[in-house]
Amino acid sequence: MGPLSGVRVLELGSFIAGPFAGQLLADYGAEVIKIEPPRTGDPMRHWGITKDGESLWWPAIARNKKSVTVDLRGERGQRLVRDLVANCDVVLENFRPGTMARWGLDYESLRAVNPGVVVVHVSGFGQTGPNAGHAGFGSVAEAVGGIRYTTGSPDDTPARAGISLGDSLAALFAVIGTLSALRERDASGAGQEVDVAIYEAVFALMESMLADYHVGGVMRTRSGSVLPGVAPSNVYPTADDAEVVIAANADSVFGRLTEAMGKPELATDPRYATHQARGAAMSELDELIGAWTSMFDSAGLIDLLQQHGVPVGMINTAATILTDTHFADRDMILWRQSATGTELPMNGVVPKFSRTPGEITHTGPELGADTDAVLTTLAGVDGEQLAALHADGVV
């Protein structure tokens, strides 16, 4: 049983940020009840790469969850959700601010039925402020929060990472906020709202960007595969056409790198002897190291550098990760069967717990698979009422 066993979460919303937070909570053992629109479900069921019409993303982002269909746009569906909230610890939602209030599902209404409930909001720009009501996907939040301006080549337009970075960061902060609020509730007995803005989740990662500009007069911008003034720390070629990252910018580590290269004199060469000198000589140092790494295949190079205590790693792809023994030994590739029978490799549970490990008990459920059981058990709906709800399309 995971560390959140006994915590019940009601997940409202769709796409990535909120559902990924729900996935993480479910990985840790929380009972996550996902509310989906009848008939259509979460659009994520059909997003991304598909096989026979089935999303290969869905089984992972919906893993360990229960699927309950409820039409949130009607009064009967809204009443059902309030009944469910009475028996939940957390409500996780990522609608545009104001939507929950229009449905009678704002925090005050939910607190009235459950004073201890923690309501976690995930939105583009937060629940307050002049931009609160604006639509805000993760890609927009990455731009507003500052990370797009610093990502990519200095000679090109701002780039994006090949994943939904903003949404994922917001999900992580949503989980942190959820756990913090639950911890405080242990002492006070009272719930509260947790307001996660995607652009702020991005902005929180921007280190000393503001002080660098306002005080130091330096505008952080795109620098490709390096950080200005930090060397050697770059991508280097190998004889087998792979690429590795070597991070040897600290004085002691640079010394170990020069020993591995058979050129220990470089460590005391005035051009490279200090952090500042190496930063100033970044291009020539990278050229020198790249010429050396090109003489080795990637496996031999990594083994040599690891023997010398130099931080090094392969630039992995999905193909290389699937054969990586370290990933396998750490249970970071877990093979599970989707609801339609497809064998899928998916990311393991992070972090690791020594006594109460997280687990993947099942992949994304069929739409509405748990509707009857959850509404009967937690919302007090009897058989006759359930039949009427189905007949009228409420669930």
Side-chain angles (χ1 to χ4, degrees), residues 95-368:
F95 294 108
R96 191 183 299 193
T99 302
M100 293 281 283
R102 288 199 305 274
W103 292 341
L105 301 175
D106 55 290
Y107 175 63
E108 293 304 322
S109 298
L110 300 182
R111 186 173 69 165
V113 299
N114 183 351
V117 71
V118 172
V119 178
V120 182
H121 307 284
V122 182
S123 63
F125 298 100
Q127 301 298 302
T128 61
N131 294 333
H134 295 173
F137 274 21
S139 56
V140 173
E142 291 166 23
V144 175
I147 204 167
R148 283 292 184 97
Y149 188 72
T150 61
T151 303
S153 168
D155 301 322
D156 208 342
T157 55
R160 69 169 295 164
I163 57 169
S164 304
L165 183 61
D167 290 301
S168 298
L169 290 172
L172 292 173
F173 279 102
V175 171
I176 293 169
T178 298
L179 300 180
S180 300
L182 288 174
R183 174 65 183 89
E184 192 280 335
R185 191 186 69 175
D186 290 343
S188 69
Q192 61 181 300
E193 292 180 274
V194 178
D195 181 1
V196 180
I198 304 177
Y199 90 95
E200 290 169 359
V202 171
F203 180 59
L205 264 68
M206 297 311 297
E207 300 173 346
S208 58
M209 178 183 73
L210 297 186
D212 291 348
Y213 170 71
H214 185 71
V215 179
V218 175
M219 176 73 77
R220 286 206 190 187
T221 185
R222 296 177 293 287
S223 55
S225 62
V226 300
L227 285 176
V230 178
S233 183
N234 206 341
V235 180
Y236 300 96
T238 63
D240 55 349
D241 295 325
E243 293 175 314
V244 299
V245 170
I246 300 173
N249 44 291
D251 291 348
S252 59
V253 181
F254 181 66
R256 297 198 294 271
L257 172 62
T258 63
E259 291 285 348
M261 294 173 66
K263 297 182 178 181
E265 68 277 5
L266 294 177
T268 55
D269 188 317
R271 294 174 297 172
Y272 315 124
T274 66
H275 176 78
Q276 290 76 15
R278 290 191 297 276
M282 176 185 292
S283 296
E284 63 186 75
L285 190 56
D286 280 343
E287 185 176 343
L288 189 156
I289 296 170
W292 174 73
T293 62
S294 296
M295 298 186 296
F296 299 84
D297 64 32
S298 54
L301 176 65
I302 290 172
D303 182 61
L304 174 63
L305 290 175
Q306 287 176 340
Q307 289 179 32
H308 283 79
V310 177
V312 59
M314 176 81 75
I315 292 188
N316 269 330
T317 65
T320 56
I321 287 174
L322 282 170
T323 60
D324 191 300
T325 56
H326 189 77
F327 277 78
D329 188 73
R330 295 273 299 170
D331 289 329
M332 283 312 301
I333 303 171
L334 299 179
W335 291 87
R336 296 293 186 271
Q337 192 174 83
S338 73
T340 57
T342 302
E343 285 291 329
L344 299 170
M346 59 178 62
N347 304 349
V349 178
V350 180
K352 309 299 182 188
F353 298 91
S354 65
R355 187 170 51 82
T356 58
E359 178 57 285
I360 303 174
T361 58
H362 64 270
T363 57
E366 295 284 1
L367 180 62

